[in-house]
Amino acid sequence: MPQSRTPAPPSTAPPTPDRSRVTANVVRGCLGNLVEWYDWFAYATFSIYFASVFFPEGDRTAQLLSTAVVFAVGFFMRPLGGWLLGAYADRFGRRRALTLSVTLMSAGSLTIALAPGHDVIGLWAPALLVLARLAQGLSVGGEFGSSASYLSEVAPAGRRGFWSCFQYVSIVLGQLAALLVAIVLQNLLTEEQLHGWGWRVPFVIGAAAGLVVMYLRRSMEESEHFEKEQRRTAEHRPGTASRERKGLIALFAEYPRQLLAVFGLAIGGTVAFYTYTTYLQKYLVNTAGIAKPTVTLIGFAALFVYMLMQPAVGALSDRIGRRPVMFAFSGGCMLLTVPLMTLLGRTSNPWIAFLLMTVALTFVTGYSALAAIIKAEMFPTKVRALGVGLPHALVTATFGGLTEPVALALKDGGRETLFFWYVTGCVGLTFLATLLVREPSRTSLLDDTPAAPAAAPQPSSASPLA
């Protein structure tokens, strides 16, 4: 007689997805991130060409300043996007939030591409530009938290660091794509053509790519963790247990230490990222005296190497843990920022400048490769997108947005070296925040184990904070 077997209890953890499904979902998630950052950098790259189209004829500097102010408006819309789209992702799903964010970005790009100039519709021209940047600011602000949550939730256990790092791969690839389009157009078109109509081309490309990604995102799978959270919520409707707090109320009431940790982690990483990517190219021109075309090539090559390092560092964090990698970033940058920036300001050799920039970005990879996963692992599904997106967007809009103005103001005041110490101090905050972070489980996210039906939520006992 065959022996009867007692059936194993059903697993409460989400099933491990196969590699092809994970790859497909990660690609669809990251393509939108790429398009959004391409559009974001395209505005900064081509504003010199369309400034006179949207603002009245007059002083060239005033026109450029006006486009810069509009750029800043989009920058400071990020916290609102982090809040609204983060809450939307936690309530209605990662897929719907990611589809909405790329739709907003595509609509903004299409508006800029098709908007008539000031000479045709007067003040409505800059008004349309502002409206487009508002939509794009909301989009970029909401993308990070939703994307970080989605990537961390669809990745298999033990490989979350590797798969989540592709968020920054797509960010850098978007920046490189915008730079590449600029290089191609500058070589194919005359200066008059670029000022006349050529500047519209990159926004048409961005809008078209956004529509394609919007379609792809509509067909990607929803996160198992979000669906599980939806089922759990449906089983515990108000009236059967105490009403569960969600959104901002839950975030600030139940996870204040996690929020502080995310702020600390983001401050140093964001300032270092903007210092060694966008600002460093201006620094090499203004301080080191290297020619602009050469600096463009140095930046392109260093950013390309930096992009390739992300998966290796993400995979390393899966093997040795998040904290050692984050300590390597913060400790290394605290020790090396002053000497590296000093040497970069004194060299006129392009190869040395490339080498030093690559060394700096190697340490920054310790933050950027983990920026999504180390924050996402601190929060349960019900507030994960909001908990990651809102503080990250606030830090990006303030510390990230002020990185270049602070550097230029100190240089103008003859105290440029103080900026190096400012970066060092900001990275020091990340070092302190890393002390608070506890290594997450290698097999499950924070809320993989089901909570008891009648128990009140106790985030402190499950929190990945020391």
Side-chain angles (χ1 to χ4, degrees):
M1 294 288 292
Q3 294 183 347
S4 61
R5 293 184 179 179
T6 304
S11 173
T12 57
T16 301
D18 61 68
R19 185 182 180 87
S20 61
R21 287 175 58 196
V22 172
T23 302
N25 287 321
V26 169
V27 167
R28 282 179 286 194
C30 288
L31 277 177
N33 207 31
L34 187 160
V35 170
E36 294 199 23
W37 283 94
Y38 162 83
D39 286 329
W40 189 260
F41 286 113
Y43 181 97
T45 303
F46 287 90
S47 61
I48 189 172
Y49 297 112
F50 64 71
S52 60
V53 175
F54 288 97
F55 297 96
E57 291 292 335
D59 181 67
R60 179 69 170 161
T61 302
Q63 292 174 341
L64 292 175
L65 180 60
S66 297
T67 60
V69 170
V70 176
F71 182 80
V73 167
F75 218 90
F76 285 99
M77 285 297 290
R78 289 188 183 187
L80 185 59
W83 170 34
L84 294 178
L85 287 179
Y88 184 86
D90 288 331
R91 183 172 181 181
F92 298 106
R94 292 31 170 145
R95 179 179 60 190
R96 290 173 67 175
L98 289 170
T99 302
L100 177 58
S101 69
V102 77
T103 302
L104 286 171
M105 181 60 74
S106 182
S109 292
L110 188 62
T111 300
I112 296 174
L114 301 180
H118 183 273
D119 59 339
V120 177
I121 58 173
L123 292 177
W124 285 106
L128 283 174
L129 186 63
V130 170
L131 183 64
R133 292 302 294 171
L134 290 176
Q136 292 184 325
L138 283 171
S139 172
V140 172
E143 174 76 14
F144 188 89
S146 301
S147 178
S149 298
Y150 184 76
L151 293 178
S152 67
E153 291 169 0
V154 299
R159 298 283 285 169
R160 293 194 184 99
F162 172 77
W163 288 109
S164 297
C165 80
F166 284 94
Q167 183 175 42
Y168 256 85
V169 171
S170 59
I171 289 175
V172 178
L173 197 56
Q175 186 174 359
L176 291 174
L179 186 59
L180 184 61
V181 169
I183 292 172
V184 170
L185 290 178
Q186 286 168 351
N187 282 276
L188 291 179
L189 303 179
T190 65
E191 192 77 6
E192 292 74 19
Q193 289 173 326
L194 281 169
H195 281 277
W197 58 268
W199 62 268
R200 297 182 186 270
V201 173
F203 295 104
V204 172
I205 293 173
L211 290 174
V212 172
V213 173
M214 180 180 66
Y215 172 78
L216 292 174
R217 280 187 165 180
R218 285 172 59 88
S219 63
M220 71 185 185
E221 297 176 1
E222 182 55 88
S223 154
E224 273 286 338
H225 291 269
F226 176 77
E227 292 181 339
K228 176 186 170 185
E229 173 65 16
Q230 290 293 90
R231 292 192 296 268
R232 185 192 67 80
T233 302
E235 291 169 0
H236 299 87
R237 294 293 184 188
T240 61
S242 59
R243 185 176 180 87
E244 185 178 22
R245 291 178 293 194
K246 290 194 174 185
L248 281 178
I249 295 176
L251 191 63
F252 285 98
E254 300 175 17
Y255 307 98
R257 294 182 65 192
Q258 289 90 330
L259 278 174
L260 287 176
V262 173
F263 272 113
L265 292 171
I267 287 171
T270 298
V271 170
F273 175 77
Y274 279 94
T275 296
Y276 290 118
T277 55
T278 56
Y279 174 67
L280 191 61
Q281 298 189 46
K282 296 179 178 64
Y283 179 73
L284 290 174
V285 173
N286 295 333
T287 300
I290 301 176
K292 288 181 181 179
T294 304
V295 169
T296 300
L297 292 175
I298 292 171
F300 188 94
L303 283 172
F304 186 79
V305 174
Y306 171 63
M307 178 185 68
L308 296 179
M309 288 189 287
Q310 307 296 317
V313 176
L316 180 65
S317 78
D318 287 326
R319 295 180 62 87
I320 68 173
R322 318 292 187 221
R323 281 165 55 103
V325 176
M326 195 63 71
F327 277 131
F329 153 68
S330 53
C333 283
M334 282 194 295
L335 291 174
L336 295 177
T337 290
V338 174
L340 279 175
M341 292 296 288
T342 302
L343 290 173
L344 279 164
R346 294 177 180 176
T347 186
S348 58
N349 187 310
W351 290 103
I352 294 178
F354 166 74
L355 178 62
L356 293 173
M357 185 175 180
T358 303
V359 169
L361 289 174
T362 299
F363 282 96
V364 176
T365 305
Y367 167 77
S368 57
L370 274 62
I373 190 62
I374 197 171
K375 299 166 188 173
E377 287 172 333
M378 292 184 191
F379 299 96
T381 304
K382 69 174 185 176
V383 293
R384 183 169 289 132
L386 183 61
V388 174
L390 179 58
H392 179 86
L394 284 168
V395 169
T396 304
T398 52
F399 286 87
L402 290 174
T403 298
E404 190 169 313
V406 168
L408 294 174
L410 289 173
K411 178 177 176 58
D412 189 55
R415 297 178 177 273
E416 189 170 34
T417 55
L418 288 181
F419 175 70
F420 311 159
W421 292 104
Y422 167 77
V423 176
T424 302
C426 289
V427 174
L429 294 177
T430 297
F431 184 89
L432 294 176
T434 306
L435 294 172
L436 295 174
V437 177
R438 193 179 71 188
E439 285 295 340
S441 167
R442 293 181 183 273
T443 59
S444 63
L445 282 174
L446 179 58
D447 53 347
D448 273 346
T449 51
Q458 298 183 17
S460 59
S461 62
S463 166
L465 291 177

